[in-house]
Amino acid sequence: QVHLVESGGGLVQAGGSLRLSCTNYGSSFSIDDMGWYRQAPGKQREAAAIITSGGITNYADFVKGRFTIYRDNAKNTVDLQMNNLEPEDTGVYYCYVKMYDLGYWGQGTQVTVSS
């Protein structure tokens, strides 16, 4: 099983930075994609950044140039460095892992960006 624990959310002013971290304390065998999704208030959850097992990254248009995703297979972690944050980035950020074509989610961490 996969057990994801996130940390690093919080309150930051516009233009500031945060780094989200996610550790998988469960099985890491055959982990495929890892990533981060966000859910803004009143909106659906959407992918922000994904990284494959081979290190290929894919970013949503709304984060390109501002966010960077990192993956450490040895430590079973996936981090999201978020720079130049905007109030529109406010929401709950969820860590995501795909294994054997099944998706697993962390509990979410709140990010609030004040203007």
Side-chain angles (χ1 to χ4, degrees):
Q1 291 295 325
V2 173
H3 178 53
L4 303 174
V5 178
E6 300 137 333
S7 62
L11 173 64
V12 65
Q13 289 187 331
S17 298
L18 283 174
R19 188 177 180 103
L20 306 182
S21 295
C22 175
T23 301
N24 172 23
Y25 289 101
S27 172
S28 62
F29 186 71
S30 292
I31 292 287
D32 191 0
D33 295 347
M34 302 181 79
W36 288 90
Y37 282 65
R38 79 176 185 192
Q39 187 163 17
K43 295 187 178 181
Q44 290 187 333
R45 196 175 299 186
E46 56 187 346
I50 301 291
I51 184 166
T52 70
S53 58
I56 297 172
T57 58
N58 188 19
Y59 296 95
D61 287 342
F62 57 79
V63 306
K64 281 182 179 177
R66 300 187 300 125
F67 293 6
T68 305
I69 190 168
Y70 299 93
R71 176 172 177 165
D72 188 327
N73 291 327
K75 296 180 179 179
N76 293 330
T77 60
V78 59
D79 291 0
L80 186 67
Q81 177 66 44
M82 305 187 294
N83 298 327
N84 195 21
L85 284 161
E86 304 167 350
E88 293 74 20
D89 294 317
T90 293
V92 180
Y93 284 70
Y94 295 91
C95 179
Y96 168 82
V97 162
K98 186 171 78 170
M99 182 173 72
Y100 294 123
D101 290 327
L102 294 177
Y104 298 85
W105 300 93
Q107 79 283 1
T109 185
Q110 176 70 42
V111 171
T112 303
V113 185
S114 63
S115 57

